[in-house]
Amino acid sequence: MSNSFEVEGLVGGDPELRYSGEGLAIVTFNVADTPRKFNKETKQWEDDGETAWFRVTLFGSAAETAAGQIKKGSPVLAKGTLTFRSWETKEGEKRESKELKADKVYLALRGAKGGSGAPAASSAPAAPIAAGDDDSPF
């Protein structure tokens, strides 16, 4: 069974690029995905639900490419494998995150969900800005 997943939305902050002890580039960034609907009365797109946040990770030379092209507010489409992680803080609060190990990351051409204008369906990406390397540690 495949765990293939994609998320399209706006990047919530500048990507964080770091290197493993073996020199493998790793970039992480958060993507906000907000459901949207068209209001026929106002003829405007409006948020229609809670924003879901996804932590995206990309490895290798693709990570360096993505770090150079993605900035806070960039509309992106990321495809890969989704995992869930939960933990408890020192204060006893339960937390969880949705993490996507990306195989490919695209810059959306006409905006994305959560941005102004039409939802992401109208923003088909042209080509990946970064495709994952086969040397991923996972």
Side-chain angles (χ1 to χ4, degrees):
M1 180 160 89
S2 174
N3 185 12
S4 181
F5 186 81
E6 64 182 50
V7 61
E8 187 168 6
L10 299 176
V11 175
D14 288 336
E16 299 170 16
L17 179 64
R18 64 188 189 284
Y19 293 88
S20 70
E22 295 78 34
L24 179 66
I26 304 167
V27 70
T28 55
F29 55 93
N30 293 313
V31 175
D33 180 13
T34 304
R36 302 200 28 103
K37 70 175 182 178
F38 188 74
N39 183 325
K40 293 178 183 179
E41 293 176 16
T42 64
K43 307 225 184 309
Q44 299 285 323
W45 287 96
E46 301 173 348
D47 290 351
D48 187 33
E50 290 189 37
T51 299
W53 286 92
F54 296 85
R55 183 121 178 115
V56 178
T57 305
L58 190 62
F59 300 91
S61 60
E64 294 173 320
T65 301
Q69 294 187 22
I70 296 172
K71 303 291 180 226
K72 179 180 180 179
S74 295
V76 297
L77 169 67
K79 296 181 178 187
T81 304
L82 184 65
T83 59
F84 295 89
R85 190 168 67 89
S86 58
W87 67 95
E88 192 170 306
T89 66
K90 291 179 183 178
E91 295 79 24
E93 297 174 358
K94 293 185 179 185
R95 304 284 175 124
E96 64 178 37
S97 68
K98 296 173 277 306
E99 300 178 359
L100 181 70
K101 179 187 161 257
D103 298 320
K104 294 182 179 155
V105 176
Y106 301 81
L107 276 176
L109 297 177
R110 294 188 197 161
K113 287 190 232 179
S116 60
S122 67
S123 62
I129 58 168
D133 291 345
D134 290 333
D135 58 355
S136 165
F138 299 102

